[in-house]
Amino acid sequence: MTDTVSDTTQELAGPPELEGLGKYRYGWADSDTAGSSARRGLSEEVVRDISAKKSEPGWMLQLRLKALKLFARKPMPNWGSDLTGIDFDNIKYFVRSTEKQATSWDELPADIKNTYDRLGIPEAEKQRLIAGVAAQYESEVVYHQIREDLEEKGVIFVDTDTGLREHEELFKEYFGTVIPVGDNKFASLNTAVWSGGSFIYVPPGVHVDIPLQAYFRINTENMGQFERTLIIADEGSYVHYVEGCTAPIYQSDSLHSAVVEIVVKKNARVRYTTIQNWSNNVYNLVTKRATAAEGATMEWIDGNIGSKVTMKYPAVYLMGEHAKGETLSIAMAGEGQHQDAGAKMVHAAPHTASSIVSKSIARGGGRTSYRGLIQVLEGAHHSASTVRCDALLVDTISRSDTYPYNDIREDDVVMGHEATVSKVSDDQLFYLMSRGMAEDEAMAMIVRGFIEPVARELPMEYALELNRLIELQMEGAVG
Amino acid sequence: MTAVDETTTDPAAGSPVNTARAHSHGAGVVPDASRAERVTSFDVADFAVPTGREEEWKFSPLRELAPLFEAAPAGSAAVEVSGPDAVVHRTGTLQEVGAGTAFTPGDRAAVTGWAATAQAHLVSVPAEAELDAPVLVAVRGTAGTTTSGHLVVEAGHHARALVVISHTGSGAHRGGVEVRVGDGADLTVVTLQEWDADAVHVGQHDVLVGRDARVRHIAVSLGGKAVRLSTNVRYAGPGGDAQALGVYFSDAGQHLEHRLFVDHEATNCKSYVEYKGALQGDGAHAVWIGDVLIRAAAEGTETYELNRNLVLTDGARADSVPNLEIETGEIVGAGHASATGRFDDEQLFYLQARGITPDEARRLVVRGFFASIVERIGVPEISERLMTTIETELAATDLAGTSSTEEN
C-alpha cells in the first residue's frame, strides 16, 4: 500500500482490525467428477429423474410436480435482497457424489473424507460432543451415524430420503404440513427438487441430552442444494439439532434453498442451532418454520456469517396455550454481503410468549437487515412478545436496516419492540487501550461483548468457533 | 425464506409503480435498495391505481379511498385562513403560490390531488417575525364531494410561528401540505383531523427543514371513516432539528393510518418521532409506519422513533412498523421502539388503592398516556379540547373496559 492511498482507503474501510472478518477459511474445492457431469436447468424431466433415482412412492412424485408448477407461477419476492443474479437455468439441481451412504468415515471417498477432516467433524464425533452426525455433500447425505443408546430409545435420526423410505407413514403425516407446498417461491422450488436433509423423530418423554448435528457442504460450482429437514418432537421430549454449512469460493453463484419443518408437540422442546458460513457466492434462501403446541417451546438460534445473500426468517407458530417461541439471531455482513435475516412469531393461542433478540454487525460495505413479524391473532389474549434488535456499525460505508412488522389484533397483550444502532465508540476503545490493550484486542473485546447474549446460548464448541472467528480477523489485521 | 410479507406482486402482471426498474433477466424485480428509491413524481401516469398488494397500500382500506385515486378534476374544499397581521396569505393556482419546490407527490392519491388542485393557498411568515398568536387554517369538506387542496406554509429565516390546520366536515378530501422552514426558523405545524364519521382523507405533508432550523409537526387524528396521512421530512442544510409527533384514537370501523419518512441527507441533523394511539371497538384499525433513512452523507445524525398503541377492547387491530435504514456508522445514535399493550393493571390498581374509581382511574391513565404529546401542541384551548374529545371517546368503552379489568 502506498501512503497516499492507504489514508483514504483506511478511512473508508473502517478499523483495519476487522479487515480479516471476511477471510474465508473453507474456500477450497475438491475434485469434481460428479458435479461436472450433472445437468443444468430445471424441467419436469429433472424432477422425475430425481424422484426415480430415489425410487420414491408415487405421491411424492405427484407432490414434486405440483410444486414445480407452483414454483413457475409464484412471483419472485419484490422485497428484501436483490435476487436478479440467480440464473435458474444455470443451476445443477441434483448432484450425486457417492453411490453409498457411509456409516464410517473411512468408507467415504478420500476427497470427501478429507474435507470433513478439515472441517473437524469426525473429531467432534469421536469426542462424543455430539450424539449423531449427518454429513450432506452436494445433494445427498454421505455419512450418517447415531449413538446406539438413542436408537434403542426409538429416536429416529436419518437423512430425509431414508426417512421417506423407511418411515413412510410418519413422514407422510407431517411432510408439508408446517410449510405448505405453495408457501413461497423458494419453498415450492425446494419441494420440487428436495434431496437430503435430516429426518428426526423423538418419542414421547425422551430427552436427547447431547446435540444431533448435520453438516452441509456444497462442492460443485453453480450447485443448488435443496435439503429438506423434518423434525417431530413428540410430547414431553427434547432435542437440540445443530447445523453448519460451508462451500468453496467460485466465480459464479450457487443456490442453497432449504426447507425446515418442525413439529413441537405438547410440552416438548426443540432447539435448532444454525451456524451458516457459506462462501460469498452462495444465495441462501431458506424457509424455516415450527409449530408449537400447548406448553411447547421452540428455540431458534441462528448465526449468519457467510453467504452472498441470506434471506431467512425462522418462524414459530404458537398454536397451543402457554407455547413459547424464542429466536436468537446474529448476523455479520462483510464486503459484498447482504444478511436479510430476522424472525417471525405468530401468536395463535392465549398465554403464548415470544422473544426475539437480534444482533448484527456490518463492516466493509456489507449490509445487515433485520426483518421480522410479530402477529397476535384475535383470541390470543394474555400473549407477550418482546423484540430487541441491536446493530453495531464499525465503519462509515456499511449499512444496517431494521424492518419490524407488528400486527396486533387482541387487546390483552404486551408487545414491545426496541432497536438501537450504534458504532464502536472511541470512548470504549480509548478506555480499553488505556488499560494496556492493543487496539485490535480492544475491538475484538467490544465485538465479543456485543454478541455475548447470543454466543452464550450456543453449544460450547460453537461459541468457541464464533469467538475464534473474531480472533481470526484481528490476527489478520496485525499481519 | 419465509415470506414475512406475503403480498408479493407478480412482476408479470405489471408491478404497479416500479415497472421502470423491472429487471430484464426475468428473475423478478429488484427490490428498492432503500426507502429513498420509492417513486415520487408530478405525473399521474407514474402511479397506477393501487390494488392493495403494494407494500405502501397493503394496510389501507382501498374501497373507501377509491374516489381519491381518480384523476378527474375535483372541487376545492372550503378553506379559511386567519392569523396575525404580519402573516401573508395568498390564494391562486399551484404556480401562483409557488407550490412544488419542497413537495413531490409520493403516491396515487397525492398525485391526483396535485393534478386536480385548482386553488392553492400560501401562508407565509416573514423572516425574523415572531408571531404572538397562531395562524389558523380551517379546511371544511362537504358530504358527497371529492375535493383537493394544497397549502404552502413558509417560515422565513429566523421566524417563529405556530400554524394550526384543522379538518372538519365530510366528503372525500386529498390535501397536500408543503412546509418550508427557513434557516434558523422555529415552526410548529399542528394538523387536526376532526372529520365527521363518514369522511375519508388522504394527505401528504412534506416538510423541508432549513439550516439550524427547528420544526415540530403534530398530527392529531380523531375523526373520519378512513384517514391516511403521510409526513415526509427532509433537511435542506446541516443542523436541522425536526420532531414529528402524533396522537390518534381509532373507534369501531375507523381506519387511521400515519406514515412517516425522515430522510437524513444533511450532516448533524436531529429527528425525533413519537406517535401514540388508542384503539377501541370492533374493526378499529391503526397503522403506523415510521421510516427513517440515514444516508451515507448524513454524518452526525441523531434519530429516535417511538410508537405506542393502547388497545382498549377486543376486535381492534394495530399495525406498527418502525423501519430504520442506516448507510453510515458515523452517527450520534439511532433507535426506535414500538410497543402495543393494554392498560397497565398495576397503574390502575395503584390509583384504585388510593380511592379512585375504576372509571376515573382509566381516564387518568389514558390522559397520562397522551399528555406527553398533547401538551406540546402549544395552544391551550386546542390541547384541552382534544383531551375532552379523547375522554368522551373513552367513556364509550367503559362497559367493555371495566369487565376486562375485573377479570384479573
Side-chain angles (χ1 to χ4, degrees), chain A residues 5-26:
Chain A
V5 177
S6 70
D7 280 346
T8 46
T9 34
Q10 273 198 1
E11 193 178 323
L12 274 178
E17 309 79 71
L18 292 180
E19 275 302 291
L21 181 54
K23 294 235 171 71
Y24 193 68
R25 293 192 296 154
Y26 309 102

PDB file of all heavy atoms in Angstrom, chain A residues 5-26:
ATOM      1  N   VAL A   5      -2.678   6.411  -0.855  1.00  0.00           N
ATOM      2  CA  VAL A   5      -3.913   5.642  -0.997  1.00  0.00           C
ATOM      3  C   VAL A   5      -4.394   5.143   0.355  1.00  0.00           C
ATOM      4  O   VAL A   5      -5.564   5.177   0.670  1.00  0.00           O
ATOM      5  CB  VAL A   5      -3.697   4.456  -1.957  1.00  0.00           C
ATOM      6  CG1 VAL A   5      -4.952   3.616  -2.060  1.00  0.00           C
ATOM      7  CG2 VAL A   5      -3.272   4.966  -3.319  1.00  0.00           C
ATOM      8  N   SER A   6      -3.449   4.689   1.162  1.00  0.00           N
ATOM      9  CA  SER A   6      -3.846   3.999   2.385  1.00  0.00           C
ATOM     10  C   SER A   6      -4.690   4.874   3.299  1.00  0.00           C
ATOM     11  O   SER A   6      -5.621   4.395   3.915  1.00  0.00           O
ATOM     12  CB  SER A   6      -2.614   3.502   3.129  1.00  0.00           C
ATOM     13  OG  SER A   6      -1.916   4.600   3.670  1.00  0.00           O
ATOM     14  N   ASP A   7      -4.375   6.144   3.337  1.00  0.00           N
ATOM     15  CA  ASP A   7      -5.157   7.013   4.217  1.00  0.00           C
ATOM     16  C   ASP A   7      -6.641   6.956   3.904  1.00  0.00           C
ATOM     17  O   ASP A   7      -7.466   6.702   4.760  1.00  0.00           O
ATOM     18  CB  ASP A   7      -4.669   8.462   4.098  1.00  0.00           C
ATOM     19  CG  ASP A   7      -3.418   8.661   4.931  1.00  0.00           C
ATOM     20  OD1 ASP A   7      -3.139   7.778   5.770  1.00  0.00           O
ATOM     21  OD2 ASP A   7      -2.736   9.647   4.727  1.00  0.00           O
ATOM     22  N   THR A   8      -6.928   7.181   2.626  1.00  0.00           N
ATOM     23  CA  THR A   8      -8.344   7.233   2.274  1.00  0.00           C
ATOM     24  C   THR A   8      -9.001   5.874   2.379  1.00  0.00           C
ATOM     25  O   THR A   8     -10.094   5.752   2.893  1.00  0.00           O
ATOM     26  CB  THR A   8      -8.531   7.766   0.838  1.00  0.00           C
ATOM     27  OG1 THR A   8      -7.596   7.084   0.022  1.00  0.00           O
ATOM     28  CG2 THR A   8      -8.315   9.246   0.769  1.00  0.00           C
ATOM     29  N   THR A   9      -8.299   4.832   1.929  1.00  0.00           N
ATOM     30  CA  THR A   9      -8.951   3.528   1.983  1.00  0.00           C
ATOM     31  C   THR A   9      -9.207   3.135   3.426  1.00  0.00           C
ATOM     32  O   THR A   9     -10.230   2.563   3.743  1.00  0.00           O
ATOM     33  CB  THR A   9      -8.105   2.426   1.322  1.00  0.00           C
ATOM     34  OG1 THR A   9      -6.749   2.715   1.556  1.00  0.00           O
ATOM     35  CG2 THR A   9      -8.387   2.290  -0.136  1.00  0.00           C
ATOM     36  N   GLN A  10      -8.255   3.462   4.284  1.00  0.00           N
ATOM     37  CA  GLN A  10      -8.462   3.079   5.678  1.00  0.00           C
ATOM     38  C   GLN A  10      -9.672   3.772   6.262  1.00  0.00           C
ATOM     39  O   GLN A  10     -10.472   3.177   6.967  1.00  0.00           O
ATOM     40  CB  GLN A  10      -7.230   3.431   6.509  1.00  0.00           C
ATOM     41  CG  GLN A  10      -6.220   2.317   6.464  1.00  0.00           C
ATOM     42  CD  GLN A  10      -5.216   2.418   7.566  1.00  0.00           C
ATOM     43  OE1 GLN A  10      -5.301   3.324   8.378  1.00  0.00           O
ATOM     44  NE2 GLN A  10      -4.302   1.507   7.618  1.00  0.00           N
ATOM     45  N   GLU A  11      -9.773   5.031   5.926  1.00  0.00           N
ATOM     46  CA  GLU A  11     -10.901   5.763   6.478  1.00  0.00           C
ATOM     47  C   GLU A  11     -12.210   5.173   5.983  1.00  0.00           C
ATOM     48  O   GLU A  11     -13.166   5.013   6.725  1.00  0.00           O
ATOM     49  CB  GLU A  11     -10.784   7.231   6.079  1.00  0.00           C
ATOM     50  CG  GLU A  11     -11.732   8.097   6.864  1.00  0.00           C
ATOM     51  CD  GLU A  11     -11.581   9.544   6.490  1.00  0.00           C
ATOM     52  OE1 GLU A  11     -10.443   9.982   6.234  1.00  0.00           O
ATOM     53  OE2 GLU A  11     -12.602  10.228   6.418  1.00  0.00           O
ATOM     54  N   LEU A  12     -12.199   4.836   4.697  1.00  0.00           N
ATOM     55  CA  LEU A  12     -13.418   4.285   4.122  1.00  0.00           C
ATOM     56  C   LEU A  12     -13.744   2.907   4.672  1.00  0.00           C
ATOM     57  O   LEU A  12     -14.875   2.597   4.982  1.00  0.00           O
ATOM     58  CB  LEU A  12     -13.276   4.197   2.597  1.00  0.00           C
ATOM     59  CG  LEU A  12     -13.632   5.451   1.826  1.00  0.00           C
ATOM     60  CD1 LEU A  12     -13.379   5.207   0.362  1.00  0.00           C
ATOM     61  CD2 LEU A  12     -15.094   5.803   2.061  1.00  0.00           C
ATOM     62  N   ALA A  13     -12.728   2.095   4.785  1.00  0.00           N
ATOM     63  CA  ALA A  13     -12.985   0.703   5.122  1.00  0.00           C
ATOM     64  C   ALA A  13     -13.110   0.469   6.615  1.00  0.00           C
ATOM     65  O   ALA A  13     -13.417  -0.613   7.051  1.00  0.00           O
ATOM     66  CB  ALA A  13     -11.870  -0.165   4.567  1.00  0.00           C
ATOM     67  N   GLY A  14     -12.879   1.499   7.391  1.00  0.00           N
ATOM     68  CA  GLY A  14     -13.088   1.342   8.813  1.00  0.00           C
ATOM     69  C   GLY A  14     -11.892   0.736   9.500  1.00  0.00           C
ATOM     70  O   GLY A  14     -10.823   0.604   8.913  1.00  0.00           O
ATOM     71  N   PRO A  15     -12.077   0.339  10.751  1.00  0.00           N
ATOM     72  CA  PRO A  15     -10.958  -0.136  11.545  1.00  0.00           C
ATOM     73  C   PRO A  15     -10.262  -1.307  10.861  1.00  0.00           C
ATOM     74  O   PRO A  15     -10.933  -2.276  10.502  1.00  0.00           O
ATOM     75  CB  PRO A  15     -11.614  -0.614  12.839  1.00  0.00           C
ATOM     76  CG  PRO A  15     -12.969  -0.022  12.843  1.00  0.00           C
ATOM     77  CD  PRO A  15     -13.346   0.252  11.427  1.00  0.00           C
ATOM     78  N   PRO A  16      -8.955  -1.222  10.672  1.00  0.00           N
ATOM     79  CA  PRO A  16      -8.240  -2.307   9.984  1.00  0.00           C
ATOM     80  C   PRO A  16      -8.292  -3.604  10.786  1.00  0.00           C
ATOM     81  O   PRO A  16      -8.139  -4.682  10.227  1.00  0.00           O
ATOM     82  CB  PRO A  16      -6.799  -1.783   9.890  1.00  0.00           C
ATOM     83  CG  PRO A  16      -6.690  -0.683  10.899  1.00  0.00           C
ATOM     84  CD  PRO A  16      -8.068  -0.116  11.057  1.00  0.00           C
ATOM     85  N   GLU A  17      -8.581  -3.519  12.076  1.00  0.00           N
ATOM     86  CA  GLU A  17      -8.628  -4.731  12.891  1.00  0.00           C
ATOM     87  C   GLU A  17      -9.687  -5.691  12.383  1.00  0.00           C
ATOM     88  O   GLU A  17      -9.644  -6.879  12.623  1.00  0.00           O
ATOM     89  CB  GLU A  17      -8.961  -4.424  14.359  1.00  0.00           C
ATOM     90  CG  GLU A  17      -8.127  -3.365  15.003  1.00  0.00           C
ATOM     91  CD  GLU A  17      -8.599  -1.983  14.606  1.00  0.00           C
ATOM     92  OE1 GLU A  17      -9.645  -1.544  15.016  1.00  0.00           O
ATOM     93  OE2 GLU A  17      -7.860  -1.369  13.821  1.00  0.00           O
ATOM     94  N   LEU A  18     -10.706  -5.154  11.703  1.00  0.00           N
ATOM     95  CA  LEU A  18     -11.808  -6.013  11.293  1.00  0.00           C
ATOM     96  C   LEU A  18     -11.665  -6.494   9.861  1.00  0.00           C
ATOM     97  O   LEU A  18     -12.500  -7.231   9.373  1.00  0.00           O
ATOM     98  CB  LEU A  18     -13.127  -5.272  11.458  1.00  0.00           C
ATOM     99  CG  LEU A  18     -13.500  -4.995  12.908  1.00  0.00           C
ATOM    100  CD1 LEU A  18     -14.820  -4.270  12.984  1.00  0.00           C
ATOM    101  CD2 LEU A  18     -13.579  -6.280  13.715  1.00  0.00           C
ATOM    102  N   GLU A  19     -10.580  -6.078   9.227  1.00  0.00           N
ATOM    103  CA  GLU A  19     -10.369  -6.457   7.834  1.00  0.00           C
ATOM    104  C   GLU A  19     -10.559  -7.949   7.616  1.00  0.00           C
ATOM    105  O   GLU A  19     -11.154  -8.378   6.650  1.00  0.00           O
ATOM    106  CB  GLU A  19      -8.944  -6.079   7.403  1.00  0.00           C
ATOM    107  CG  GLU A  19      -8.822  -4.662   6.933  1.00  0.00           C
ATOM    108  CD  GLU A  19      -9.752  -4.383   5.776  1.00  0.00           C
ATOM    109  OE1 GLU A  19      -9.499  -4.940   4.700  1.00  0.00           O
ATOM    110  OE2 GLU A  19     -10.728  -3.635   5.939  1.00  0.00           O
ATOM    111  N   GLY A  20     -10.029  -8.739   8.538  1.00  0.00           N
ATOM    112  CA  GLY A  20      -9.987 -10.176   8.337  1.00  0.00           C
ATOM    113  C   GLY A  20     -11.328 -10.861   8.454  1.00  0.00           C
ATOM    114  O   GLY A  20     -11.457 -12.026   8.149  1.00  0.00           O
ATOM    115  N   LEU A  21     -12.341 -10.125   8.882  1.00  0.00           N
ATOM    116  CA  LEU A  21     -13.638 -10.744   9.120  1.00  0.00           C
ATOM    117  C   LEU A  21     -14.143 -11.490   7.892  1.00  0.00           C
ATOM    118  O   LEU A  21     -14.764 -12.523   7.982  1.00  0.00           O
ATOM    119  CB  LEU A  21     -14.649  -9.669   9.547  1.00  0.00           C
ATOM    120  CG  LEU A  21     -16.066 -10.151   9.865  1.00  0.00           C
ATOM    121  CD1 LEU A  21     -16.029 -11.259  10.888  1.00  0.00           C
ATOM    122  CD2 LEU A  21     -16.914  -9.016  10.366  1.00  0.00           C
ATOM    123  N   GLY A  22     -13.837 -10.936   6.731  1.00  0.00           N
ATOM    124  CA  GLY A  22     -14.306 -11.579   5.512  1.00  0.00           C
ATOM    125  C   GLY A  22     -13.458 -12.765   5.085  1.00  0.00           C
ATOM    126  O   GLY A  22     -13.816 -13.497   4.196  1.00  0.00           O
ATOM    127  N   LYS A  23     -12.317 -12.966   5.725  1.00  0.00           N
ATOM    128  CA  LYS A  23     -11.429 -14.059   5.306  1.00  0.00           C
ATOM    129  C   LYS A  23     -12.123 -15.393   5.494  1.00  0.00           C
ATOM    130  O   LYS A  23     -12.588 -15.728   6.562  1.00  0.00           O
ATOM    131  CB  LYS A  23     -10.133 -14.029   6.130  1.00  0.00           C
ATOM    132  CG  LYS A  23      -9.297 -12.792   5.857  1.00  0.00           C
ATOM    133  CD  LYS A  23      -7.883 -13.176   5.446  1.00  0.00           C
ATOM    134  CE  LYS A  23      -7.119 -11.957   4.958  1.00  0.00           C
ATOM    135  NZ  LYS A  23      -6.789 -11.027   6.037  1.00  0.00           N
ATOM    136  N   TYR A  24     -12.189 -16.138   4.445  1.00  0.00           N
ATOM    137  CA  TYR A  24     -12.978 -17.355   4.460  1.00  0.00           C
ATOM    138  C   TYR A  24     -12.045 -18.545   4.483  1.00  0.00           C
ATOM    139  O   TYR A  24     -11.169 -18.689   3.640  1.00  0.00           O
ATOM    140  CB  TYR A  24     -13.864 -17.380   3.223  1.00  0.00           C
ATOM    141  CG  TYR A  24     -14.935 -18.422   3.280  1.00  0.00           C
ATOM    142  CD1 TYR A  24     -15.979 -18.306   4.194  1.00  0.00           C
ATOM    143  CD2 TYR A  24     -14.907 -19.514   2.426  1.00  0.00           C
ATOM    144  CE1 TYR A  24     -16.971 -19.263   4.253  1.00  0.00           C
ATOM    145  CE2 TYR A  24     -15.893 -20.474   2.480  1.00  0.00           C
ATOM    146  CZ  TYR A  24     -16.923 -20.343   3.388  1.00  0.00           C
ATOM    147  OH  TYR A  24     -17.911 -21.289   3.438  1.00  0.00           O
ATOM    148  N   ARG A  25     -12.221 -19.410   5.489  1.00  0.00           N
ATOM    149  CA  ARG A  25     -11.250 -20.481   5.684  1.00  0.00           C
ATOM    150  C   ARG A  25     -11.689 -21.793   5.045  1.00  0.00           C
ATOM    151  O   ARG A  25     -11.001 -22.792   5.135  1.00  0.00           O
ATOM    152  CB  ARG A  25     -11.055 -20.711   7.177  1.00  0.00           C
ATOM    153  CG  ARG A  25     -10.382 -19.563   7.884  1.00  0.00           C
ATOM    154  CD  ARG A  25      -9.983 -19.991   9.270  1.00  0.00           C
ATOM    155  NE  ARG A  25     -11.174 -20.306  10.055  1.00  0.00           N
ATOM    156  CZ  ARG A  25     -11.188 -21.152  11.077  1.00  0.00           C
ATOM    157  NH1 ARG A  25     -10.089 -21.793  11.417  1.00  0.00           N
ATOM    158  NH2 ARG A  25     -12.290 -21.366  11.765  1.00  0.00           N
ATOM    159  N   TYR A  26     -12.884 -21.795   4.458  1.00  0.00           N
ATOM    160  CA  TYR A  26     -13.412 -23.063   3.977  1.00  0.00           C
ATOM    161  C   TYR A  26     -13.567 -23.064   2.463  1.00  0.00           C
ATOM    162  O   TYR A  26     -14.390 -23.765   1.907  1.00  0.00           O
ATOM    163  CB  TYR A  26     -14.754 -23.346   4.645  1.00  0.00           C
ATOM    164  CG  TYR A  26     -14.675 -23.225   6.141  1.00  0.00           C
ATOM    165  CD1 TYR A  26     -15.151 -22.093   6.806  1.00  0.00           C
ATOM    166  CD2 TYR A  26     -14.071 -24.232   6.896  1.00  0.00           C
ATOM    167  CE1 TYR A  26     -15.046 -21.975   8.180  1.00  0.00           C
ATOM    168  CE2 TYR A  26     -13.960 -24.120   8.276  1.00  0.00           C
ATOM    169  CZ  TYR A  26     -14.447 -22.994   8.912  1.00  0.00           C
ATOM    170  OH  TYR A  26     -14.335 -22.871  10.264  1.00  0.00           O
TER     171      TYR A  26
END
